[in-house]
Amino acid sequence: MKVKLEDNSHMIDFSHLEEMLIDKGYSAICGVDEVGRGPLAGPVVAAAIIIPHGVEIDGIRDSKKLSAARREIIFETIAELELPCAVGVIDNETIDKMNILKASLMAMRKAVMELEQAPDFVLVDGNFPVPNISQPQFAIVRGDDRCQSIGAASIVAKVTRDRIMDKYQDIYPAFSFSKHKGYPTKAHLEELKKHGPCDIHRRSFKPVASVIQEYALF
């Protein structure tokens, strides 16, 4: 259920949104974010996390604005605090079957549903609500840079996906997955053209589909 907060979301101070929800009686506020919509290879990964009222984690913001080392430090801090946290991973084959938007939303739903503690309100990064959950929720553009719980989810999702891609580097050494993480960098596009797609490439994505078509011509 997507909700509007008094129909004046343009006036909300999102940096204090979690405190506003606490004041309204919510006690288990979950932040949700996903990482990996843009890559040509690998899964899309979402994370959901509940940060109890009064707990503040220094340095949380949009994971893309943090160095890899800083993300790892915050990730370990979250793990040490043993906060309610879960991830949802949707592989490249499923992405190809249903499209990346639906797969991203599926990953977010999976993360929320895997939480050991059920949230009573869900804050989602972006424009789209998480489908098929019973909790009230609110989607926030740039939420990962505006709400602590979403920012934390962004970091958990990013670190989790990066570690997955690091493992794929060992399985597919022709591709520098530990460096570009599957994103369409110049180096990745050159590798793709030279070697053709591997098992984790998203064949519905245009650069991959184009290479497949070129190989079919030979």
Side-chain angles (χ1 to χ4, degrees):
M1 177 176 61
K2 186 177 181 181
V3 301
K4 290 185 178 181
L5 300 182
E6 300 177 359
D7 293 320
N8 60 351
S9 59
H10 63 288
M11 299 176 63
I12 293 173
D13 181 356
F14 289 103
S15 64
H16 295 95
L17 178 56
E18 285 142 321
E19 288 85 347
M20 290 171 55
L21 292 170
I22 291 291
D23 291 342
K24 288 179 177 290
Y26 297 102
S27 60
I29 301 165
C30 168
V32 188
D33 198 7
E34 54 76 24
V35 172
R37 288 181 63 173
L40 306 179
V44 60
V45 177
I49 185 169
I50 297 172
I51 301 180
H53 182 54
V55 175
E56 292 190 11
I57 302 173
D58 185 52
I60 285 185
R61 60 185 306 188
D62 178 0
S63 64
K64 296 183 291 295
K65 297 180 180 179
L66 300 173
S67 68
R70 184 60 182 160
R71 286 194 297 267
E72 288 284 348
I73 291 172
I74 296 174
F75 182 94
E76 293 303 328
T77 298
I78 292 170
E80 289 170 4
L81 290 171
E82 297 184 343
L83 303 177
C85 183
V87 297
V89 181
I90 304 298
D91 64 25
N92 59 293
E93 292 182 353
T94 305
I95 291 170
D96 285 335
K97 290 177 182 177
M98 63 171 42
N99 78 47
I100 186 58
L101 175 57
K102 290 181 180 178
S104 298
L105 295 174
M106 177 185 284
M108 289 194 284
R109 181 182 186 275
K110 186 175 182 180
V112 172
M113 299 301 291
E114 289 290 328
L115 285 168
E116 292 186 1
Q117 177 184 354
D120 54 16
F121 201 100
V122 177
L123 297 175
V124 190
D125 183 63
N127 293 298
F128 299 97
V130 179
N132 301 317
I133 63 172
S134 59
Q135 295 89 344
Q137 59 180 308
F138 191 61
I140 307 168
V141 176
R142 300 190 307 279
D144 48 7
D145 208 23
R146 303 164 89 175
C147 293
Q148 179 179 226
S149 59
I150 299 178
S154 172
I155 290 167
V156 171
K158 175 63 174 170
V159 172
T160 299
R161 187 180 188 280
D162 282 357
R163 291 179 177 182
I164 291 172
M165 298 308 294
D166 289 344
K167 291 180 179 179
Y168 279 136
Q169 169 76 65
D170 296 331
I171 299 172
Y172 305 103
F175 294 90
S176 307
F177 287 132
S178 62
K179 294 182 179 179
H180 53 62
K181 311 302 183 187
Y183 283 88
T185 64
K186 180 180 179 181
H188 187 191
L189 293 174
E190 290 175 350
E191 292 166 351
L192 183 61
K193 188 170 184 178
K194 180 178 180 180
H195 303 289
C198 69
D199 290 343
I200 66 165
H201 275 101
R202 302 174 182 177
R203 282 157 170 72
S204 60
F205 280 43
K206 188 173 181 179
V208 181
S210 296
V211 169
I212 292 173
Q213 182 63 29
E214 289 179 12
Y215 270 72
L217 295 177
F218 291 97

